[in-house]
């Protein structure tokens, strides 16, 4: 039984099908970026940008719900495979409905979204029959089913009412999941598996960022194209290394925790990475106004590193955040924000400041991890 495996601390492996499942989400995230291709008066129209935010968070949230179920109750069984393949099929409908003409696919998008939530909720209800004698596990299952079916109802209501009900549905899922975070039994969660799934999704998202960076290499070779392609590559490399250092050196992957907070942070971390992918593309687009694209890039960087800081609450015992670590980081960040605003009209300097910032952050994390380990 699944619960016996947990109590004996047997390590749960990431299955092959889970990786294929995650690749579907990478595809949809790439589709979400199409929502930002329309530029009006120097930036993406407000409604279109709101749709992008909603669509990105909705997809990442689905991944979060699926991952939690697999972590707690997944047995790599035929039943699990069938439910997962159904979700993969439905996700294609969401992906197809994600483009500039999103409004015409709104009904299709929301029906697929609601069915995915119901699919995961049904898996939880079926699991109730395997835990008739454990009141705590049944309570956890009921709460997760409540979140999933409750959000699904809001998604269906959104079809016949306002788009903003879709935002309410996402917020309902995030808030209720957060409220229930501390009540889950820690032995139900295999944090090693959970953190590995999150890491792999982050890596796949970096893959999408690397693909987007190919645009910097298009056209004839010039000193300008060489400069911007090199700067863009250095930015992506430093972002990846910062997360890699955090995951490999700082996070305690054997921690006893419900894992809810960890996964919620990753929702916004991956959202920040999607923003960074688009923001880096905007930097070389002259049709995008300086103020919007500068602020969008700065916000995306800040959200990414804020999430990294938040993940440090899951660090090893000797790796907690302290003043000597925070003060230099805060100082670097303030200098970065001021420099980006002052140099917004000098794109050559602007992107150089970004490179210095992300590498300074990485070096700080690297030195801190070595010091804590005594290396």
């Amino acid at each position: 039984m699944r619960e016996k495996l947990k109590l004996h601390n047997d390590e749960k492996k990431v299955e092959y099908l889970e990786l294929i499942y995650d690749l579907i989400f990478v595809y949809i995230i790439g589709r979400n970026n199409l929502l930002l291709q329309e530029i009006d008066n120097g930036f993406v129209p407000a409604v279109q940008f709101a749709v992008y935010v909603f669509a990105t968070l909705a997809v990442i949230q689905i991944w979060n719900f699926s991952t939690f179920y697999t972590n707690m109750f997944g047995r790599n069984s035929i039943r699990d495979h069938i439910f997962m393949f159904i979700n993969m099929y439905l996700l294609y409908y969401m992906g197809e409905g994600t483009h500039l003409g999103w409004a015409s696919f709104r009904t299709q998008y929301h029906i697929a979204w609601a069915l995915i939530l119901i699919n995961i909720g049904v898996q939880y209800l079926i699991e109730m029959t395997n835990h008739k004698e454990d009141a705590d596990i049944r309570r956890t299952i009921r709460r997760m089913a409540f979140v999933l079916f409750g959000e699904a109802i809001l998604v269906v209501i959104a079809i016949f009412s306002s788009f903003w009900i879709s935002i309410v549905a996402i917020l309902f899922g995030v808030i209720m999941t957060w409220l229930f975070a501390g009540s889950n039994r820690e032995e139900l969660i295999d944090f090693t598996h959970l953190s590995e799934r999150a890491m792999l999704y982050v890596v796949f998202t970096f893959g999408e960022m690397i693909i987007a960076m190919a645009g910097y290499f298009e056209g004839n070779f010039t000193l300008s194209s060489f400069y911007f392609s090199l700067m863009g590559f250095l930015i992506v490399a430093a972002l990846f290394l910062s997360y890699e250092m955090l995951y490999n050196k700082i996070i305690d992957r054997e921690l006893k925790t419900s894992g809810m907070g960890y996964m919620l942070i990753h929702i916004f971390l991956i959202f920040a990475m999607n923003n960074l992918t688009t923001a880096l593309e905007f930097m070389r687009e002259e049709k995008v106004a300086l103020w919007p694209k500068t602020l969008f890039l700065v916000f995306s960087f800040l959200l990414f590193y804020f999430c990294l800081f938040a993940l440090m609450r899951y660090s090893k015992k000797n790796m907690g955040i302290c003043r000597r670590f925070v003060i230099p980081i805060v100082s670097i960040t303030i200098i970065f924000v001021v420099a980006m605003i002052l140099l917004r009209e000098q794109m050559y300097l602007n992107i150089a400041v970004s490179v210095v910032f992300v590498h300074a952050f990485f070096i700080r994390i690297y030195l801190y991890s070595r010091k804590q380990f005594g290396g």
Side-chain angles (χ1 to χ4, degrees), residues 208-255:
E208 184 67 27
M209 189 182 296
I210 290 171
I211 293 172
M213 282 302 304
Y216 276 73
F217 295 83
E218 294 175 352
N220 296 327
F221 178 83
T222 63
L223 288 177
S224 177
S225 66
F226 168 74
Y227 175 78
F228 279 100
S229 63
L230 177 61
M231 294 296 103
F233 180 80
L234 290 174
I235 288 172
V236 175
L239 292 172
F240 177 81
L241 289 172
S242 295
Y243 182 85
E244 184 268 343
M245 183 61 60
L246 181 79
Y247 177 79
N248 282 329
K249 301 295 185 181
I250 297 176
I251 298 297
D252 183 359
R253 299 200 297 275
E254 297 181 358
L255 193 67

Side-chain angles (χ1 to χ4, degrees), residues 79-226:
R79 189 193 79 191
D80 289 343
H81 287 191
I82 291 173
F83 276 95
M84 192 171 290
F85 276 120
I86 291 173
N87 272 0
M88 290 168 66
Y89 178 77
L90 292 170
L91 282 165
Y92 273 109
Y93 280 101
M94 293 183 70
E96 176 57 27
T98 307
H99 47 65
L100 289 178
W102 179 84
S104 60
F105 288 84
R106 184 161 167 255
T107 300
Q108 167 187 310
Y109 188 99
H110 280 70
I111 290 175
W113 182 13
L115 288 176
I116 291 170
L117 294 173
I118 292 171
N119 184 5
I120 303 171
V122 169
Q123 286 180 276
Y124 274 105
L125 293 182
I126 293 175
E127 194 62 35
M128 288 278 281
T129 60
N130 295 322
H131 304 280
K132 295 179 180 179
E133 306 300 323
D134 196 319
D136 288 339
I137 294 179
R138 290 173 66 86
R139 182 173 63 250
T140 295
I141 291 173
R142 284 195 298 269
R143 287 178 172 178
M144 290 305 301
F146 169 76
V147 174
L148 289 159
F149 288 118
E151 183 170 333
I153 291 172
L154 290 171
V155 170
V156 173
I157 293 174
I159 298 175
F160 307 100
S161 56
S162 169
F163 156 75
W164 299 106
I165 300 299
S166 304
I167 302 294
V168 173
I170 294 172
L171 292 176
F172 172 83
V174 170
I175 293 172
M176 296 308 298
T177 301
W178 183 265
L179 290 177
F180 293 154
S183 62
N184 286 350
R185 282 173 51 176
E186 294 178 352
E187 64 266 29
L188 271 177
I189 300 297
D190 188 326
F191 190 62
T192 302
H193 170 266
L194 199 68
S195 59
E196 186 177 0
R197 281 292 303 277
M199 178 273 293
L200 289 170
Y201 194 9
V202 168
V203 169
F204 289 151
T205 308
F206 270 118
E208 184 67 27
M209 189 182 296
I210 290 171
I211 293 172
M213 282 302 304
Y216 276 73
F217 295 83
E218 294 175 352
N220 296 327
F221 178 83
T222 63
L223 288 177
S224 177
S225 66
F226 168 74

